[in-house]
Amino acid sequence: MPLSDLLALLALATAMAFTPGPNTTLSAALAANRGLKAALPFCLAVPVGWVMLVLACSAGVGTLLQAAPALRTGLTLAGVAYLLWMAWRLSQTAALSEVQAERLKVGFAQGVALQFVNIKAWMAALLVVQGWVTPGPVAERLAVVLPLMAAYAFASNFSYALLGAALRPWLQHGQRLVWFNRCMALVLALTAVWMLLR
């Protein structure tokens, strides 16, 4: 891959990975409420799901998504419903003592599945495939793109989880966790609305 292409991919990966979105919001919220160890499966799931999306788009599934508006609408609605459901569950937790595994749990499988109902992730994967994978030898380009994008996906989610875990002692006092969770729930809900309006 030419250096100019690689630098452009790094810039895109940085912008995509580290700006707040449903994945980073959930990473921070899970770690803040349940600890870093509980958030780690989700942090690992995001890059796995992302790699699967890029592979699917490389195989032509992304083109099908673009060509079938009903499929795209279905994915969008599923993603919106999931984000709103997670926002509601998050908003119901008011104290660390109330955080139960069944109330606020997003494990590895759910983290991977979330990528497949995230229309933003599909569009980003399609952009990466069209811009950096298919212009050259696909196998060689994927050998560069997949590890790089997976590393960025993990680094961003783990960074947000570290931030959430660092806030845990501070969140134990007064109504801080209530407001933190409501803010995180609002970010998820706004992301859902954004997905609907795209």
Side-chain angles (χ1 to χ4, degrees):
M1 180 180 295
L3 181 60
S4 59
D5 286 1
L6 182 59
L7 292 175
L9 180 61
L10 290 172
L12 176 71
T14 302
M16 283 188 338
F18 288 96
T19 52
N23 292 325
T24 53
T25 301
L26 281 174
S27 294
L30 287 168
N33 283 272
R34 300 187 61 225
L36 186 59
K37 186 177 178 181
L40 194 54
F42 180 75
C43 292
L44 291 169
V46 172
V48 170
W50 173 253
V51 164
M52 292 170 70
L53 278 182
V54 172
L55 288 172
C57 287
S58 297
V61 176
T63 305
L64 175 65
L65 182 64
Q66 284 184 313
L71 180 59
R72 180 180 168 149
T73 300
L75 275 173
T76 300
L77 292 176
V80 166
Y82 184 76
L83 289 178
L84 291 176
W85 177 71
M86 283 305 303
W88 178 80
R89 289 180 70 122
L90 185 58
S91 71
Q92 300 305 301
T93 303
L96 290 177
S97 60
E98 294 177 3
V99 180
Q100 302 165 352
E102 62 273 9
R103 174 174 284 195
L104 186 60
K105 181 179 181 183
V106 183
F108 186 84
Q110 285 176 297
V112 171
L114 176 60
Q115 307 318 302
F116 284 86
V117 295
N118 182 348
I119 199 67
K120 176 185 171 188
W122 274 104
M123 294 301 106
L126 194 57
L127 173 66
V128 167
V129 168
Q130 290 175 344
W132 285 272
V133 175
T134 54
V138 172
E140 290 177 21
R141 291 285 183 114
L142 283 174
V144 173
V145 169
L146 290 179
L148 188 130
M149 298 305 288
Y152 268 78
F154 176 76
S156 68
N157 283 282
F158 191 66
S159 297
Y160 276 81
L162 285 173
L163 177 62
L167 288 173
R168 266 176 79 77
W170 182 78
L171 293 171
Q172 292 178 12
H173 303 287
Q175 296 291 304
R176 293 173 182 170
L177 185 69
V178 173
W179 290 109
F180 175 82
N181 284 342
R182 287 178 182 168
C183 287
M184 295 294 101
L186 179 62
V187 170
L188 288 177
L190 289 174
T191 302
V193 170
W194 174 83
M195 286 172 60
L196 273 178
L197 297 178
R198 276 187 59 89

